[in-house]
């Protein structure tokens, strides 16, 4: 059997002796690709860097301190920061126990997802500017609204009052059906999930939240605990999270962290199309982005993907001519797309009956899963006439330009929903 570990995310390990062997073994088992640190360590490298405080030399710790002083940005993971206080940025991940290394991949994915979302927000502002519209760099007046999902916890009861006092709206939903009803009638900033409340592996909420796209495109804030031994569902939830907050220390500190990440999610949310936007940005018929916007935007997305060495793909849907001219059918399809994508995904109507969604940091497999989810919802919608549409996924390759990538996505061949099952 071939070894596919080369495709696992890399991480540089600064440790020594038996500690290095133990850390390397646990990270490999969790789906990461660890390799020994260089000497001296390059604090400007792209891969995450894990530093084991207990076994590295003083020279490594001093190098970390100097890198923080001059604000060299690299993703840092620290194991055991109890005896040696190193000044690190707020994005550093603190691992308090070796057992928590199994969840490290999910934590790194959450931070990568945050970075991708911030990049997309900036790119959309730049694209809008080229089209003659200025979008503020941040929405400082936005009011966060959180959807708490779970089966109740003492921590949630303690958080509810302080969060409301700070101006954050919070609504609790116990079941999946209730959560869906709330999300259908209200636009939330994020879902707030306390992992401690899902410690029972048979908890219903743990199952459906951990499902891929269980929350649609809603960002997820996961509350972790220092002594929590995560089960498979909890680990999966961390991997899907947009933000991870350590629910440790004083209650005021936990509330402040939740408020900070919630306000950041609101302030730096990528702009999404809405009817009030100028027609140069949004399509009035469907409420998605206009073709002109996507054509001007996709080149920036491709350049960012190349710089970050990330995948990028396009998903396209074509309705049959019998439904392409129906305003109700197009709006129904657009609404399905809107409920299934993240706010970092960019949906547009390219022409009547032809939709495209650009997906930053998403490989072909991820695009296919999204297309299948949208198709599953569309075939059940009476306004769309069953499976009267086709879809296609194209992943960016080195030879693609923005124009050729879009053209490839819009020309087919098309996969029918009944063939995708």
């Amino acid at each position: 059997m071939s070894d596919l570990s080369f495709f696992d995310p890399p991480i540089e390990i600064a440790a020594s002796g038996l500690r290095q062997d133990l850390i390397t073994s646990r990270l490999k088992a969790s789906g990461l690709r660890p390799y020994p640190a260089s000497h001296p360590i390059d604090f400007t490298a792209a891969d995450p860097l894990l530093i084991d405080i207990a076994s590295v030399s003083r020279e490594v710790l001093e190098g970390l301190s100097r890198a923080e002083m001059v604000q060299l940005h690299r993703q840092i993971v620290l194991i055991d920061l109890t005896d040696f206080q190193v000044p690190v940025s707020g994005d550093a991940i603190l691992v308090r126990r070796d057992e928590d290394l199994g969840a490290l991949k999910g934590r790194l994915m959450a931070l990568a997802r945050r970075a991708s979302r911030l990049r997309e927000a900036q790119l959309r502002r730049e694209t809008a500017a080229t089209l003659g519209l200025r979008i503020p760099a941040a929405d400082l007046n936005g009011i966060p609204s959180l959807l708490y999902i779970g089966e109740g916890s003492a921590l949630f009861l303690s958080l509810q009052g302080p969060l409301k006092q700070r101006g954050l709206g919070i609504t609790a939903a116990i079941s999946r059906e209730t959560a869906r009803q709330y999300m259908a009638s209200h636009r939330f900033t994020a879902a707030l999930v306390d992992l401690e409340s899902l410690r029972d592996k048979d908890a219903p909420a743990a199952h459906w939240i951990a499902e891929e796209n269980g929350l649609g495109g809603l960002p997820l804030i996961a509350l972790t605990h220092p002594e929590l031994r995560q089960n498979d569902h909890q680990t999966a939830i961390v991997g899907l999270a947009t933000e991870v907050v350590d629910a440790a220390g004083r209650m005021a500190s936990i509330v402040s962290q939740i408020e900070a990440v919630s306000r950041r999610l609101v302030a730096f949310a990528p702009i999404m199309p809405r009817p009030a936007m100028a027609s140069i940005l949004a399509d009035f018929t469907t409420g998605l982005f206009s073709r002109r916007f996507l054509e001007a935007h996709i080149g920036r997305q491709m350049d960012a993907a190349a710089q970050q060495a990330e995948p990028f793909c396009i998903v396209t849907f074509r309705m049959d001519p019998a439904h392409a001219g129906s305003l109700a059918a197009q709006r129904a399809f657009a609404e399905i797309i809107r409920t299934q994508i993240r706010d970092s995904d960019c949906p547009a109507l390219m022409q009547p009956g032809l939709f495209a969604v650009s997906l930053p940091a998403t490989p072909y497999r991820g695009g296919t899963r999204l297309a299948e989810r949208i198709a599953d919802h569309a075939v059940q919608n009476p306004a769309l006439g069953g499976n009267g549409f086709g879809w296609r996924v194209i992943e960016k390759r080195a030879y693609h330009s923005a124009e050729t990538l879009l053209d490839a996505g819009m020309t087919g061949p098309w996969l029918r929903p009944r063939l995708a099952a």
Side-chain angles (χ1 to χ4, degrees), residues 37-368:
S38 59
H39 297 286
I41 293 176
D42 181 4
F43 285 95
T44 65
D47 295 341
L49 170 66
L50 183 148
I51 298 177
D52 180 46
I53 300 297
S55 66
V56 295
S57 66
R58 188 80 177 184
E59 179 184 359
V60 172
L61 297 178
E62 291 174 350
L64 174 62
S65 296
R66 289 193 296 270
E68 288 292 332
M69 290 177 189
V70 299
Q71 297 183 341
L72 291 179
H73 298 290
R74 184 178 184 183
Q75 182 57 64
I76 301 295
V77 181
L78 299 177
I79 300 180
D80 187 14
L81 196 62
T82 57
D83 299 322
F84 193 96
Q85 296 296 322
V86 180
V88 293
S89 66
D91 286 339
I93 297 177
L94 306 183
V95 178
R96 298 179 176 87
R97 303 174 305 171
D98 290 336
E99 292 86 346
D100 296 335
L101 288 170
L104 180 58
K105 182 178 180 180
R107 296 291 299 272
L108 293 171
M109 289 172 61
L111 290 174
R113 192 176 294 111
R114 179 207 295 176
S116 177
R117 187 174 185 269
L118 292 174
R119 279 196 302 273
E120 179 62 17
Q122 174 63 25
L123 293 179
R124 290 187 192 179
R125 289 195 297 271
E126 294 175 0
T127 301
T130 63
L131 297 176
L133 297 173
R134 181 184 178 276
I135 305 296
D139 180 7
L140 300 181
N141 298 317
I143 300 175
S145 179
L146 302 177
L147 177 64
Y148 171 82
I149 302 177
E151 297 169 2
S153 69
L155 178 61
F156 169 69
L157 297 175
S158 301
L159 292 173
Q160 189 174 19
L163 286 174
K164 288 186 176 180
Q165 288 179 359
R166 299 193 183 201
L168 277 70
I170 184 165
T171 304
I174 296 177
S175 68
R176 184 174 199 167
E177 291 70 24
T178 304
R180 283 178 170 172
Q181 291 174 9
Y182 285 147
M183 288 189 290
S185 60
H186 183 79
R187 184 167 184 172
F188 292 96
T189 302
L192 180 64
V193 179
D194 178 16
L195 296 184
E196 175 66 24
S197 70
L198 307 177
R199 59 185 178 277
D200 183 356
K201 65 180 180 180
D202 295 323
H207 286 266
W208 68 264
I209 297 173
E211 292 176 4
E212 184 182 30
N213 210 54
L215 292 169
L218 188 64
L220 190 155
I221 302 173
L223 299 177
T224 64
H225 299 263
E227 303 304 322
L228 179 65
R229 296 182 181 275
Q230 295 179 10
N231 57 40
D232 291 343
H233 290 301
Q234 291 167 325
T235 301
I237 290 171
V238 172
L240 294 172
T242 308
E243 301 278 355
V244 179
V245 174
D246 285 322
R250 299 177 59 185
M251 183 58 60
S253 174
I254 300 172
V255 172
S256 294
Q257 290 183 69
I258 296 173
E259 180 185 13
V261 299
S262 300
R263 293 195 182 280
R264 185 164 59 221
L265 286 171
V266 172
F268 297 105
I271 59 168
M272 294 297 288
R274 56 185 184 274
M277 279 186 173
S279 60
I280 198 171
L281 288 184
D283 171 67
F284 178 76
T285 303
T286 60
L288 303 182
F289 282 114
S290 67
R291 175 170 185 162
R292 183 176 178 185
F293 179 85
L294 186 61
E295 288 178 339
H297 186 59
I298 194 171
R300 288 182 171 80
Q301 291 181 307
M302 292 174 64
D303 290 342
Q307 292 171 4
Q308 299 296 323
E310 292 177 342
F312 177 80
C313 69
I314 293 284
V315 178
T316 51
F317 296 89
R318 187 185 67 178
M319 303 173 66
D320 280 350
H323 298 96
S326 168
L327 184 59
Q330 292 194 80
R331 287 178 173 172
F333 209 111
E335 182 60 25
I336 293 172
I337 291 175
R338 192 164 23 245
T339 60
Q340 293 300 309
I341 62 173
R342 307 162 296 186
D343 57 7
S344 57
D345 302 332
C346 191
L349 180 71
M350 305 305 291
Q351 62 188 50
L354 183 60
F355 301 83
V357 186
S358 63
L359 307 174
T362 304
Y364 179 87
R365 183 175 59 180
T368 300

